[in-house]
């Protein structure tokens, strides 16, 4: 793991600035407020320990925005929602309720599990805040999400450049410095979350580039060049799955083939640049110049001789043998697939003992403290197994219903908007479908569903489906 983290003072300053910014914009500039919340949530590595537990940068900002929205009566927008949205909300709420129940009744470490439940609750609250903020103009959420991804991608490129020039001692934002393959995490919790976050944001950036070629293309470049620096297989799979969904949706809403081909070439070129950058900018210790001067043997004439004089054969002297410099020992790249799969049969043996509600949040490490998972307690990384283990059949079914309804309503929104010739809304729905697909596929390798950034996107996506069902076709052109 990296040796440098953000200091507590920097995190405290980030928290303060974010909370003030969210409070100043929640009522008058909702899109800017959404951008602030999303950007704060993307700094998942930045944490601050408090008497109540670990605080993340977006938590105070979400609380401030929520209080202002309630005080101003903005929660009235939650009334009269379509039935599908109500059922989807109830499904996600049921998942949280089951997680709370199992954490109270079944978790060996009740306090730790309830802290995780509180984190989930605050993250879901950020989704409600995002829904209310962007409710009237949900298609405008594309730019804030693209901007958040571009910022993280730019920080990833910067971290790699500094590591190339000043490393390996300077490794801020770089993970596994002493391994065969250093990787970038920038401001993400770790490399998997960094890369899966950028994979999700890639589709918002693509849509932003379609709307504004200059600014959008710059954001897309930072996202897709920064993405490969994480060197994460699961994120690549998630990006590919999202790209397939994006393409299918755009074809279904009758986007022109020449535009799709142009977008594909641009995106593929940027990813290729990022792959080349990861090869050049992230050298391990063996690939760096050693800096040790080599010993050379002089070939000048022996002392006492000169040109034109008889050459005498000097007494041979032993040639110094250079002492070999020991090569640094590198940590081999961990077989993360085996690491994750090894825990699956252990979890499956436990599940029959509480199949309905599971064992509570982060309970796997509590039930198996003898297992080792690096610097923290052991955990289940595969999302489908983790959800089933922590919330049982009841929680897993509720979460599945929530996501299925969200995907269905997004698809319906895309098709209906296309029929009304509202391509802006249709393409926005396509971007959300692709982004959420990418995220969920990536999380089958390393789940991070508890982070607020996921629920902010979910809330904005739900707002888009509600706008489509209740607004006039011309309302979004204002």
């Amino acid at each position: 793991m990296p040796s440098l983290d953000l200091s507590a003072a920097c995190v405290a300053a980030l928290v303060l600035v974010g909370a003030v910014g969210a409070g100043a914009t929640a009522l008058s500039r909702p899109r800017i407020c959404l951008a602030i919340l999303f950007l704060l949530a993307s700094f998942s590595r930045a944490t601050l320990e408090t008497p109540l537990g670990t605080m993340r940068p977006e938590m105070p900002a979400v609380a401030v925005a929520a209080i202002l929205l309630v005080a101003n009566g903005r929660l009235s927008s939650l009334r009269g929602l379509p039935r599908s949205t109500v059922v989807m909300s109830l499904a996600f709420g049921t998942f949280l309720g089951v997680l709370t129940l199992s954490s109270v009744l079944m978790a060996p470490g009740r306090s730790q599990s309830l802290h995780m439940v509180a984190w989930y609750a605050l993250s879901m609250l950020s989704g409600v805040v995002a829904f209310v903020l962007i409710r009237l103009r949900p298609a405008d959420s594309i730019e804030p999400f693209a901007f958040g991804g571009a910022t993280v991608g730019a920080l990833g490129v910067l971290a790699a450049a500094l590591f190339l020039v000043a490393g390996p001692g300077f490794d801020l934002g770089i993970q596994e410095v002493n391994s065969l393959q250093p990787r970038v995490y920038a401001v993400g919790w770790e490399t998997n979350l960094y890369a899966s976050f950028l994979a999700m944001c890639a589709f918002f950036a693509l849509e932003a580039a379609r709307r504004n070629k200059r600014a959008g293309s710059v954001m897309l470049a930072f996202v897709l060049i920064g993405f490969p620096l994480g060197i994460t297989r699961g994120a690549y799979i998630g990006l590919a799955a999202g790209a397939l969904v994006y393409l299918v949706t755009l074809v279904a809403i009758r986007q022109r083939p020449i535009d799709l081909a142009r977008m594909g070439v641009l995106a593929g070129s940027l990813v290729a640049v990022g792959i080349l950058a990861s090869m050049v900018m992230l050298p391990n210790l063996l690939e760096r110049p050693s800096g040790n001067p080599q010993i050379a043997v002089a070939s000048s004439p022996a002392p006492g001789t000169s040109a034109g004089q008889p050459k005498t054969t000097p007494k041979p002297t032993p040639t110094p043998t250079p002492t070999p410099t020991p090569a640094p020992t590198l940590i081999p790249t961990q077989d993360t697939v085996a690491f994750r799969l090894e825990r699956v049969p252990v979890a499956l043996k436990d599940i029959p003992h509480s199949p309905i509600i599971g064992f509570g949040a982060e309970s796997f490490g509590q039930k198996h403290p003898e297992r080792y998972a690096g610097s923290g307690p052991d955990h289940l990384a595969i999302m489908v197994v983790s959800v089933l283990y922590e919330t049982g059949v009841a929680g897993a079914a509720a979460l599945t219903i929530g996501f299925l309804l969200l995907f269905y309503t997004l698809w319906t929104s895309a098709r209906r908007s296309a029929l009304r010739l509202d391509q802006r809304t249709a393409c926005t729905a396509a971007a959300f479908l692709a982004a959420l697909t990418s995220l969920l596929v990536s999380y089958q390798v390393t789940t991070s569903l508890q982070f607020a950034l996921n629920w902010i996107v979910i809330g904005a996506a739900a707002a888009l489906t509600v706008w489509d069902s209740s607004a006039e076709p011309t309302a979004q052109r204002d």
Side-chain angles (χ1 to χ4, degrees), residues 339 343 362-366 368-369 371-373 376-380:
F339 175 89
R343 284 143 179 80
E362 284 297 309
S363 54
F364 182 79
Q366 300 168 12
H368 300 280
R371 303 187 66 83
Y372 180 70
D378 205 356
H379 67 285
L380 293 170

Side-chain angles (χ1 to χ4, degrees), residues 116-296:
M116 285 295 299
V117 170
W119 184 5
Y120 259 110
L122 283 170
S123 295
M124 288 184 170
L125 175 62
S126 70
V128 177
V129 170
F131 179 95
V132 176
L133 285 173
I134 208 70
R135 170 74 170 82
L136 297 179
R137 303 182 67 177
D140 288 352
S141 61
I142 288 292
E143 288 80 8
F145 293 156
F147 176 76
T151 302
V152 173
L155 291 174
V157 173
L158 177 62
L162 292 174
F163 179 70
L164 174 64
V165 175
F170 187 86
D171 58 354
L172 184 64
I174 306 296
Q175 186 170 306
E176 300 169 358
V177 178
N178 296 323
S179 70
L180 290 170
Q181 181 57 74
R183 301 185 292 165
V184 169
Y185 71 85
V187 292
W189 181 248
E190 43 87 37
T191 57
N192 288 284
L193 187 56
Y194 163 82
S196 61
F197 173 77
L198 290 183
M200 173 188 70
C201 291
F203 302 101
F204 299 124
L206 276 168
E207 186 59 27
R210 286 158 54 89
R211 297 181 183 182
N212 186 326
K213 285 185 170 55
R214 181 175 298 178
S217 297
V218 171
M219 292 191 289
L220 180 64
F222 279 126
V223 170
L224 291 182
I225 293 175
F227 163 75
L229 300 177
I231 312 178
T232 305
R233 289 170 294 184
Y236 273 106
I237 298 172
L239 181 66
L244 179 61
V245 170
Y246 192 51
L247 178 62
V248 168
T249 308
L250 291 180
V251 170
I253 61 177
R254 295 179 174 84
Q255 288 293 293
R256 293 187 301 174
I258 189 170
D259 290 339
L260 298 180
R262 189 183 298 115
M263 289 169 53
V265 170
L266 175 61
S269 301
L270 292 172
V271 172
V273 171
I275 293 174
L276 291 175
S278 69
M279 296 177 180
V280 174
M281 301 173 74
L282 298 172
N284 60 41
L285 295 176
L286 292 178
E287 294 170 338
R288 290 181 179 275
S290 63
N292 295 326
Q294 296 183 352
I295 299 176

